[in-house]
């Protein structure tokens, strides 16, 4: 009975043990497959995250490069506008003027501004331009007066005329000596009671010589008077010429000084930046200050008359030689 009981219990335990072992085996068999699927999912998530990170990096890089290119382009355009006249419009012109935009102040503000203020420096520049313009006009007027006076050049100098006068004075003295000698000889012959034929002939010659000398004296006197008039003319011309030349030199020096003053006033207004070559900026500055603006030089077109007719005909008919 005991043996049977033990066998029955053993068989029961064995029967119960079989499903348990199968369950464990199933569990052990299924666990690696689940773990593999889980790892594969993590790998895909990691790949997607890496791709997303790479894409975000590329997007950020492209954005930075685009921004940098835009900034460089803007800087280049701004620099170009500051250097090249006519580029960029009003905004660019104002960016070139910078502090000189104070020139747009009212006339009252310009008159009352402190010389050390920006508006005051604009007023000083305006005054310097006006002074330079006045100085240039004075120099041009002095040059015109000098040219007009030079057109009246008599064609002889005071020194040359004086030399002529000196020669005429010597001739005058020579003729006077000759007259005196002839008169003395005539008086001596006339003092004689009787004259020989030779003495009478000589007396007749003296009369002719005296007439010749006196005619020469009259001509010499006329020449001497004319030479003295020429001397006065030459002296007057040369004196005025010297005066006008000195006046022109002083006017040119004043114009050069005024031009330097204008440049210095512009540099003071623009904090040392020379914008004088920027035509649009200078036109804006002068317009703000009510100053005249210079028109840009335009090349002259060649007129049809200047074309060589012969060359034109030859170019139109290249087979004329054949």
């Amino acid at each position: 009975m005991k043996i049977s009981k033990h066998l029955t219990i053993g068989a029961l335990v064995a029967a119960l043990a079989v499903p348990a072992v199968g369950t464990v085996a199933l569990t052990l068999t299924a666990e690696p497959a689940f773990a593999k699927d889980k790892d594969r999912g993590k790998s895909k998530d990691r790949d997607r995250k890496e791709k997303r990170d790479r894409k975000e990096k590329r997007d950020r890089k492209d954005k930075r490069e685009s921004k940098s290119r835009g900034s460089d382009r803007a800087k280049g355009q701004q620099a170009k506008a500051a250097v090249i006249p006519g580029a960029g419009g009003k905004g660019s012109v104002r960016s070139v003027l910078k502090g000189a935009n104070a020139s747009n102040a009212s006339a009252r503000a310009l008159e009352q501004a402190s010389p050390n203020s920006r508006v005051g420096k604009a007023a000083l520049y305006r005054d310097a331009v006006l002074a330079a313009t006045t100085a240039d006009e004075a120099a041009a007027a002095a040059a015109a007066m000098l040219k007009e006076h030079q057109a009246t050049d008599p064609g002889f100098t005071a020194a040359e005329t004086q030399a002529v006068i000196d020669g005429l004075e010597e001739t005058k003295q020579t003729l006077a000596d000759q007259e005196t000698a002839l008169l003395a000889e005539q008086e001596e012959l006339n003092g004689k009671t009787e004259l020989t034929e030779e003495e009478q002939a000589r007396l007749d010659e003296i009369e002719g010589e005296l007439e010749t000398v006196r005619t020469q004296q009259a001509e010499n006197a006329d020449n001497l008077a004319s030479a003295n008039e020429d001397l006065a003319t030459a002296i007057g011309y040369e004196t005025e010429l010297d005066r006008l030349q000195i006046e022109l030199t002083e006017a040119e020096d004043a114009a050069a000084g005024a031009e330097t003053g204008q440049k210095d006033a512009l540099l003071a207004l623009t904090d040392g930046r020379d914008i004088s070559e920027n035509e649009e900026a200078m036109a804006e500055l002068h317009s703000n200050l009510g100053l005249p603006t210079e028109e840009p030089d335009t090349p002259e077109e060649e007129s049809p008359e200047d074309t060589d007719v012969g060359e034109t005909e030859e170019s139109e008919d290249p087979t004329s030689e054949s």
Side-chain angles (χ1 to χ4, degrees), residues 159-237:
E160 293 170 346
T161 307
Q162 186 60 56
V164 172
I165 291 174
D166 292 342
L168 292 172
E169 290 288 351
E170 291 179 1
T171 301
K172 177 182 177 181
Q173 186 61 46
T174 301
L175 291 172
D177 293 341
Q178 289 176 0
E179 182 185 25
T180 301
L182 290 171
L183 289 173
E185 186 178 358
Q186 184 185 50
E187 185 178 358
E188 181 181 355
L189 290 174
N190 286 332
K192 291 183 178 181
T193 306
E194 292 183 3
L195 296 175
T196 63
E197 292 182 0
E198 292 180 355
E199 291 176 338
Q200 185 61 49
R202 176 57 188 155
L203 189 61
D204 294 337
E205 289 178 357
I206 290 174
E207 287 292 340
E209 290 178 3
L210 281 173
E211 184 178 354
T212 300
V213 168
R214 286 166 180 164
T215 300
Q216 291 175 346
Q217 285 178 328
E219 291 177 354
N220 189 76
D222 291 340
N223 292 336
L224 190 57
S226 178
N228 281 312
E229 290 179 358
D230 289 346
L231 179 61
T233 300
I235 291 175
Y237 170 80

Side-chain angles (χ1 to χ4, degrees), residues 277-316:
E277 297 299 323
N278 192 311
E279 294 181 3
E280 284 199 359
M282 293 303 296
E284 178 76 7
L285 176 60
H286 281 210
S287 177
N288 290 342
L289 295 171
L291 296 170
T293 56
E294 296 181 359
E295 293 293 334
D297 294 334
T298 55
E300 295 182 358
E301 295 183 359
E302 184 178 358
S303 60
E305 290 77 5
D306 295 336
T307 306
D308 192 331
V309 177
E311 292 180 358
T312 304
E313 292 177 352
E314 184 177 351
S315 63
E316 290 178 353

Side-chain angles (χ1 to χ4, degrees), residues 139-151:
M145 290 178 64
L146 176 61
K147 185 176 181 180
E148 182 179 353
H149 180 68
Q150 288 173 332

Side-chain angles (χ1 to χ4, degrees), residues 4-322:
S4 300
K5 185 177 181 180
H6 285 304
L7 288 172
T8 302
I9 293 171
L12 181 59
V13 169
L16 294 172
V18 170
V21 172
T23 303
V24 171
L26 180 62
T27 304
L28 292 174
T29 304
E31 185 176 358
F34 176 77
K36 188 174 181 181
D37 291 339
K38 187 176 180 181
D39 291 341
R40 189 181 296 111
K42 287 182 178 179
S43 177
K44 289 182 179 179
D45 292 341
R46 187 165 52 252
D47 291 342
R48 283 195 296 269
K49 185 175 184 301
E50 289 178 355
K51 288 181 179 180
R52 187 167 58 251
D53 291 343
R54 285 195 296 270
K55 185 176 183 304
E56 289 177 355
K57 277 186 178 181
R58 285 196 302 271
D59 291 343
R60 286 195 298 269
K61 183 178 179 182
D62 291 342
K63 189 175 181 180
R64 284 196 303 270
E65 290 178 352
S66 176
K67 185 176 180 181
S68 176
R69 285 194 298 270
S71 176
D72 292 341
R73 186 161 50 250
K75 288 179 180 178
Q77 290 175 349
Q78 184 177 4
K80 184 178 179 181
V83 174
I84 301 176
K90 284 286 185 180
S92 175
V93 169
R94 291 187 181 121
S95 68
V96 174
L97 290 176
K98 294 185 179 179
N101 284 298
S103 59
N104 202 22
S106 66
R108 182 179 179 83
L110 288 169
E111 294 301 328
Q112 296 182 347
S114 169
N116 294 325
S117 67
R118 187 72 66 178
V119 176
K121 290 178 180 179
L124 290 176
Y125 173 72
R126 177 202 59 192
D127 295 343
V129 172
L130 294 175
T133 301
T134 301
D136 286 341
E137 291 174 351
M145 290 178 64
L146 176 61
K147 185 176 181 180
E148 182 179 353
H149 180 68
Q150 288 173 332
T152 65
D153 188 343
F156 47 82
T157 66
E160 293 170 346
T161 307
Q162 186 60 56
V164 172
I165 291 174
D166 292 342
L168 292 172
E169 290 288 351
E170 291 179 1
T171 301
K172 177 182 177 181
Q173 186 61 46
T174 301
L175 291 172
D177 293 341
Q178 289 176 0
E179 182 185 25
T180 301
L182 290 171
L183 289 173
E185 186 178 358
Q186 184 185 50
E187 185 178 358
E188 181 181 355
L189 290 174
N190 286 332
K192 291 183 178 181
T193 306
E194 292 183 3
L195 296 175
T196 63
E197 292 182 0
E198 292 180 355
E199 291 176 338
Q200 185 61 49
R202 176 57 188 155
L203 189 61
D204 294 337
E205 289 178 357
I206 290 174
E207 287 292 340
E209 290 178 3
L210 281 173
E211 184 178 354
T212 300
V213 168
R214 286 166 180 164
T215 300
Q216 291 175 346
Q217 285 178 328
E219 291 177 354
N220 189 76
D222 291 340
N223 292 336
L224 190 57
S226 178
N228 281 312
E229 290 179 358
D230 289 346
L231 179 61
T233 300
I235 291 175
Y237 170 80
E238 292 174 5
T239 301
E240 182 66 6
L241 181 67
D242 291 341
R243 186 189 71 79
L244 290 174
Q245 286 176 334
I246 292 173
E247 187 175 293
L248 176 59
T249 300
E250 292 176 348
E252 289 176 339
D253 291 343
E259 182 180 359
T260 300
Q262 177 180 337
K263 291 179 180 178
D264 292 343
L266 179 61
L267 292 175
L269 177 60
T270 59
D271 296 326
R273 294 178 303 110
D274 186 4
I275 63 171
S276 59
E277 297 299 323
N278 192 311
E279 294 181 3
E280 284 199 359
M282 293 303 296
E284 178 76 7
L285 176 60
H286 281 210
S287 177
N288 290 342
L289 295 171
L291 296 170
T293 56
E294 296 181 359
E295 293 293 334
D297 294 334
T298 55
E300 295 182 358
E301 295 183 359
E302 184 178 358
S303 60
E305 290 77 5
D306 295 336
T307 306
D308 192 331
V309 177
E311 292 180 358
T312 304
E313 292 177 352
E314 184 177 351
S315 63
E316 290 178 353
D317 188 10
T319 61
S320 60
E321 294 180 359
S322 59

